[in-house]
Amino acid sequence: MSSRPSRGAARLAAILDALPDGLLLVNCNGTVVNANTIALEMFETPGTALVGRGLLDLLPEFDSKLIPGSMRRPEAADERGRTKPTRMTARRTDGTEYPVEVTSASLEDGQAAYNDFQAGYTGSYTGDELLMLVVRDLSGTVDTEAELARSQRQTEMILRAAAEGVVGTDTDGRVVLVNPAAAQILGFRASDLGGQELHPLILHSRAEGEPFPYEESPLADTLKSGRKHRVRGQVLWSKSGAPVPVDLTTAPVRDGEQLVGAVMTFTDRRPYEELTKQHTAQLTELTGSHATEVTELTEQHTAEVSELTERHATELADRTERYAAELEEQAERITDLTARHHQLTAVLGESLRGPLEELRGELFKLAADPAGQLWPEANQILHHLAAGYARMTTLVDNVLGFQRLDSGAEQLIKETVLLDGVVTAGIDAAVELIGPGRAQFAVHAPPIEAEVDAGRLVTALAHLVADVAGVDSTGKARVVPGGGYVDSTVVVAAAQRGEVVRIEVRGPFAGGDPVHEPIVRGIVRAHGGVLQTHEMPGMSGSAYVLEVPLGAGSGTVMPPEPPVVQAPVEATVGGVAGAGAVQEQPGTPPGGRRRARRASTDAFLESPVGAAETGPEATLGRWSRPDGAGRGVKR
């Protein structure tokens, strides 16, 4: 045996190494005596040798009867000792298992061939018979086949579960696939349809019974052109010969670019048509019953509407007559009230005011007493009577002015003025209403420029002061229940609050007189303002809060601080205190009542109604006269 292979043996070894499958040579003892390169890669692991191992260690499932020298004749081999490819599990030299496909063949006299084959390999051989095995690794192939099998099973389950009929055909229109739904809809067994031409079996005629040529069917066009068709209301024919209305779709089946068949799917319309018939019958029945009910209800409602219309017409006629009578009665009442109003206005403005003015002038002439013939008591009485007639005349003028403003006969005449002068004039006008010496005043009136009707606003302030001063129209002070001293101070405070002028008036008595308050409210309402009444906790009387818009006025004006001048004290003449004097009550310590009045006034000015509600600009810390002297004023 030569130690160097011949040129032919080397070529044979190279060919065997280039094979894609593993090649093993096994002797009669079942031992691997040689292998090609692929077999070494398949079975051998580093550190272990493949040659010299037993075949059954590598292929445990291999039929041992195929090993040369076996006493049992193999049944799977043919007369030449060859076997068909068989799948089994292979084991590597490290024990790892994997699937393979094995084909074997016996070499009865393989000595010479073996000598040539093993010339390029190591090992020795002592027998004559050899077994050659071709081993193919199926690791990737088994996974692919398992996936294909799983996919095929899934497809079969989907086809079985589908409610639509599915039929597959080849290019000749013969059935190759039928799902259970298609067989059930058509009344066939799947085995009856397999291999049959589909068109003459279920598409041979139209719905009217006329023959349906194959060339005109959607299946034929799909198999010819590869186009997809959808047909609604197509008729298929069942095994019993009954027509089956369906919605049909045909689609081509391609293998790459090649058309290999078509798939026809269809849905049985018989349940829908049956439901449509039932619904149509029910709808017809319900339509008839509803028409009858609607007719009855219409007649009933028509009768009810006629009855209600007649009843309502009667009630409307009765109410119209009653309302006409009430309107006529109210018109007569309004006419009477208007006549009385005109009569009262005429009496106040003409019949009463003229005599009052004449009496007032005569009383003043008498009180003047140029000859000095009257007693002092008579002179004082004449002065009081003249003041009373003046008060009555002023009150009549104010009431008539309010009536003309409220009725629209006169309008406001607004102009830009300083409110300190308006407050001063209002207090002077209030003295004319309540009489001199009836009240003292604590005034805070900074120069605030506002657009108002100064005359009307003076009248409103005068009536507010008269309402809280506690002096009636006769000039008499109200009687205090239980007696005792009542502070007669009336506090008047003005301040700017945003775009509004706020004037507060507080007196010792509660307001609400039916003569004064309507006049004030009418004038304030004409200015677009509001009038509110506030109770003062812990204090007697009440406070009026009057608010009017600034209009075109610029608001608070800051004049230079005037020098403080001590006001002279005037003597009381005829029981009337002069300007700047404070009248003390008998038995009161000097200055005691003034301190009490000042404390009450400061409490009002610093109260939530006076100071807290009007903002920082309305915080009043002292009394002030209208002239800014800073002292209490009694008028």
Side-chain angles (χ1 to χ4, degrees):
M1 183 173 60
S2 174
S3 60
R4 295 182 64 187
S6 64
R7 182 177 179 181
R11 182 179 297 174
L12 178 60
I15 293 172
L16 295 178
D17 285 339
L19 291 176
D21 299 325
L23 184 64
L24 298 176
L25 290 179
V26 181
N27 62 13
C28 59
N29 295 326
T31 303
V32 177
V33 295
N34 217 325
N36 68 347
T37 302
I38 300 300
L40 293 175
E41 293 176 357
M42 290 172 55
F43 287 97
E44 192 175 67
T45 57
T48 59
L50 175 62
V51 176
R53 291 223 176 222
L55 176 62
L56 296 180
D57 291 338
L58 302 175
L59 299 171
E61 300 175 5
F62 187 77
D63 188 359
S64 61
K65 293 184 291 182
L66 297 173
I67 299 174
S70 174
M71 298 302 295
R72 295 170 294 175
R73 182 173 179 82
E75 298 177 357
D78 58 8
E79 63 277 2
R80 299 181 61 181
R82 293 177 298 185
T83 61
K84 297 180 179 180
T86 305
R87 291 190 179 186
M88 61 184 65
T89 302
R91 182 182 298 153
R92 295 171 62 87
T93 56
D94 61 354
T96 305
E97 295 183 350
Y98 57 95
V100 295
E101 184 180 74
V102 179
T103 304
S104 62
S106 297
L107 302 177
E108 295 180 357
D109 189 8
Q111 180 65 40
Y114 175 71
N115 288 336
D116 292 339
F117 174 65
Q118 61 91 35
Y121 297 86
T122 60
S124 63
Y125 175 66
T126 57
D128 293 335
E129 295 184 359
L130 293 174
L131 179 65
M132 182 178 65
L133 291 88
V134 178
V135 182
R136 177 172 293 175
D137 190 355
L138 298 180
S139 298
T141 305
V142 170
D143 294 341
T144 303
E145 292 177 351
E147 181 65 23
L148 290 174
R150 187 188 66 81
S151 178
Q152 183 177 1
R153 288 195 301 271
Q154 185 176 7
T155 302
E156 291 178 356
M157 288 187 293
I158 292 174
L159 289 175
R160 290 181 179 275
E164 293 183 340
V166 181
V167 179
T169 67
D170 57 13
T171 55
D172 296 330
R174 297 182 181 276
V175 178
V176 296
L177 172 67
V178 180
N179 73 332
Q184 181 181 3
I185 293 173
L186 298 174
F188 288 93
R189 291 184 178 181
S191 58
D192 297 339
L193 295 173
Q196 300 290 328
E197 290 187 13
L198 185 62
H199 183 80
L201 199 62
I202 63 173
L203 283 167
H204 51 79
S205 300
R206 302 182 188 272
E208 298 81 6
E210 299 178 358
F212 188 23
Y214 173 74
E215 293 78 9
E216 299 179 8
S217 67
L219 178 62
D221 185 74
T222 298
L223 290 173
K224 181 179 179 181
S225 63
R227 288 191 292 265
K228 188 175 181 180
H229 293 277
R230 290 184 180 178
V231 183
R232 181 179 294 274
Q234 180 70 46
V235 173
L236 302 181
W237 296 91
S238 65
K239 184 177 181 180
S240 63
V244 179
V246 297
D247 293 335
L248 181 143
T249 302
T250 60
V253 178
R254 301 180 185 275
D255 185 4
E257 296 295 331
Q258 184 179 1
L259 184 64
V260 297
V263 174
M264 184 177 71
T265 59
F266 51 89
T267 304
D268 191 358
R269 293 184 56 85
R270 287 177 293 183
Y272 301 106
E273 292 182 355
E274 184 65 26
L275 287 175
T276 301
K277 292 179 181 178
Q278 294 178 3
H279 292 166
T280 302
Q282 293 176 358
L283 182 61
T284 303
E285 182 181 357
L286 289 174
T287 302
S289 61
H290 289 169
T292 303
E293 293 178 0
V294 168
T295 302
E296 294 176 356
L297 290 174
T298 302
E299 295 176 355
Q300 180 179 355
H301 291 167
T302 302
E304 292 177 355
V305 168
S306 301
E307 182 181 356
L308 290 174
T309 302
E310 184 178 356
R311 186 187 307 171
H312 290 166
T314 304
E315 293 179 358
L316 183 61
D318 295 341
R319 291 181 181 180
T320 302
E321 294 178 0
R322 185 165 61 252
Y323 291 159
E326 292 178 358
L327 288 175
E328 185 178 357
E329 181 181 353
Q330 291 180 1
E332 294 178 356
R333 188 180 305 170
I334 292 173
T335 303
D336 294 341
L337 290 176
T338 303
R340 294 175 187 173
H341 172 73
H342 289 316
Q343 181 184 14
L344 180 59
T345 304
V347 168
L348 289 176
E350 300 174 6
S351 302
L352 182 61
R353 190 180 183 284
L356 286 176
E357 285 287 348
E358 186 176 355
L359 287 174
R360 177 186 176 188
E362 293 178 355
L363 286 174
F364 272 119
K365 290 179 182 179
L366 290 175
D369 191 18
Q373 298 178 359
L374 296 177
W375 292 94
E377 292 81 0
N379 188 280
Q380 186 176 7
I381 291 173
L382 289 175
H383 275 288
H384 278 293
L385 289 174
Y389 280 113
R391 182 166 53 252
M392 293 172 63
T393 304
T394 301
L395 184 61
V396 169
D397 290 340
N398 291 344
V399 170
L400 291 176
F402 164 69
Q403 293 287 343
R404 289 191 293 270
L405 178 65
D406 191 56
S407 63
E410 294 182 0
Q411 302 294 329
L412 294 179
I413 303 175
K414 292 185 178 182
E415 56 183 354
T416 303
V417 297
L418 293 177
L419 286 184
D420 53 351
V422 173
V423 172
T424 302
I427 293 174
D428 292 338
V431 172
E432 294 181 3
L433 289 175
I434 63 178
R438 297 298 185 180
Q440 299 181 94
F441 299 91
V443 181
H444 177 82
I448 302 173
E449 188 179 74
E451 185 184 17
V452 295
D453 187 331
R456 303 281 186 182
L457 196 56
V458 165
T459 301
L461 289 176
H463 281 275
L464 278 184
V465 172
D467 198 17
V468 299
V471 179
D472 60 14
S473 59
T474 63
K476 296 181 180 179
R478 298 179 185 176
V479 179
V480 179
Y485 169 73
V486 175
D487 189 0
S488 61
T489 301
V490 176
V491 181
V492 181
Q496 179 183 352
R497 185 178 182 182
E499 298 297 324
V500 173
V501 176
R502 184 185 185 115
I503 303 176
E504 302 172 6
V505 179
R506 177 186 177 273
F509 292 92
D513 188 272
V515 175
H516 300 301
E517 187 174 356
I519 296 176
V520 179
R521 290 193 181 276
I523 294 174
V524 173
R525 184 170 59 251
H527 278 82
V530 293
L531 178 67
Q532 299 177 357
T533 305
H534 294 274
E535 297 294 333
M536 304 299 296
M539 300 182 185
S540 62
S542 60
Y544 280 108
V545 179
L546 180 154
E547 292 183 351
V548 293
L550 280 175
S554 59
T556 303
V557 179
M558 302 301 294
E561 186 71 21
V564 178
V565 179
Q566 183 68 33
V569 179
E570 300 180 3
T572 303
V573 180
V576 181
V582 178
Q583 182 179 1
E584 302 290 347
Q585 297 291 334
T588 303
R593 189 168 304 150
R594 179 182 301 174
R595 287 193 295 272
R597 285 194 299 271
R598 181 164 186 172
S600 174
T601 304
D602 291 342
F604 167 71
L605 295 174
E606 296 173 0
S607 66
V609 176
E613 291 187 4
T614 58
E617 67 273 21
T619 303
L620 313 177
R622 64 174 186 172
W623 296 0
S624 65
R625 286 171 44 181
D627 57 3
R631 296 292 300 270
V633 179
K634 177 180 177 183
R635 298 184 183 274

